[in-house]
Amino acid sequence: MLLDKFKEMAAFQSELRDRKLKAFGAVTDEILSATEGVVEGRRVILAGTNNYLGLSADPRCIEAAREAASRWGTGTTGSRLANGSFAEHQALEAELAAFYGVGHAICFSTGYSATMGTCATLAGPGDVILLDADSHSSIYSGVKLSGAEVIRYRHSDTGDLAKRLRRLGDRAANTLIVAEGIYSMLGDVAPLAEIADIKREYGAMLLVDEAHSLGVLGERGRGAAEAAGVEDAVDFTVGTFSKSLGGIGGFCVSPHAELEDVRYCIRAYIFTASSTPSVVASTRRALQILRDEPQLRERLWDNARRLYSGLKALGLAVGPTPSPVVAVEFADREAAMAAWQQLFDNGVYVNLVVPPASPSTNYLLRNSMSAAHSSEQVDRIIDAYRGLIDAGLVTPDAA
Amino acid sequence: MADYQSCLAFLCELLQKYNRKRVMINENTGLVADLGLSSLEVMEVIEQIEDHYDISIPLNILPDVNTVADLAQKIRDLNP
């Protein structure tokens, strides 16, 4: 039967209902600030939102959105190729291109469509896409649509990447390498300096998804490629407005003039309504703030280091280096679910990640920090994790 | 060039460590249907095959691979 394949998911959803576990699709009743809200009737610290700079609640962005809605209306009611290209969209594209110091930019209605649409279009039949094994779902969806030959390389393993390019021989010149700046689940940073060297050696092209690194890494906040000093090796940068910029939408920027032609071939751009002007306006304002206020980035990293060192000191299984995404790994499913519930009951909302969304068979409690978190809030999050140890839900690493 | 039979022998040996259900592994064995491999395990198996034969196996072929025989045939086709 057509719908039989959903039985496993139905059983899982039923289990969640029986356990009254609201980890997936929890309803936010009220937003009190960038870092506090009422979720499922409980006041919580928001520590699983990707709101890295806290700009979703910035009064300047809210006012920009309000003004744009008054001026342009609530929606564009059409695609960019039809009636949906407003001056706001063009201005945002120009500002993004200038921010990245490249000539060309395209805006999309969501980050997912930016990444999926770009990956689906840049490479086609006869080409090859080499993607990191831990790539985001939007990348996997895009490469599947592309018609290109799709090959995975082991996560951030540059030796494996080079080996696979060697195997391709002359076809390496028709290859698009795909990496992310910061990987969303564990918060680790791609080895972009080495990837850039390999890309140059084999004459391939490189696309970097800076969804979680825009506004987070680099002297000017441009992302992991800027931090690694290899922006000149990146052919296409994609990203999202829904994290550090606090809105929704996505983009692709490139130094290649051909991007202006690629624009008219991306189905996820052509056949969908363009972003509402209010969202574009708030994104433009947020981009200005990101550019002009590097202290937000410093505050974010202060909080990230505070949380990371606090959880590490408790002996919890966190990643190798501090990052605004701090994930605590659990091998045991029951413990992970109970731990999420206890954190929530104690006023801390984080993300519960289950396989296959996690990069291994482990379960994750994924925390994302914000510049808007106070030190006191970060300490309360750490205290809540200490409570998991006291409750026997996680055993500290003896090391 | 690896012939089909040697690919098959290699696969049957490699898959033993994933043989939780202790089924008889032969060319008709289903990777998911009989061995119950998870998507993560399928990718682990693929990586080990790639290392052994020094080949890259495109993800595009995986929808056509159900049995050990299907996989052995694909390896043979990819191995120059």
Side-chain angles (χ1 to χ4, degrees), chain A residues 349-371:
Chain A
Y349 173 83
V350 304
N351 305 123
L352 174 62
V353 184
V354 303
S358 63
S360 70
T361 54
N362 282 347
Y363 294 74
L364 306 177
L365 291 184
R366 175 186 178 276
N367 311 273
S368 53
M369 282 288 92
S370 173

Side-chain angles (χ1 to χ4, degrees), chain B residues 15-78:
Chain B
L15 290 167
Q16 279 302 341
K17 66 177 162 185
Y18 298 92
N19 193 2
R20 290 180 295 268
K21 297 181 177 178
R22 308 195 71 78
V23 298
M24 176 70 80
I25 299 178
N26 57 37
E27 58 189 328
N28 297 319
T29 305
L31 299 172
V32 176
D34 298 323
L35 288 171
L37 296 187
S38 67
S39 56
L40 204 67
E41 287 171 328
V42 169
M43 295 321 301
E44 271 180 29
V45 168
I46 294 291
E47 285 177 355
Q48 290 171 70
I49 297 166
E50 290 176 325
D51 286 347
H52 182 79
Y53 289 104
D54 194 24
I55 57 173
S56 291
I57 299 177
L59 297 185
N60 317 55
I61 67 154
L62 294 184
D64 297 330
V65 172
N66 294 307
T67 64
V68 175
D70 295 335
L71 192 50
Q73 187 63 46
K74 294 292 183 190
I75 297 167
R76 202 200 64 80
D77 293 346
L78 287 164

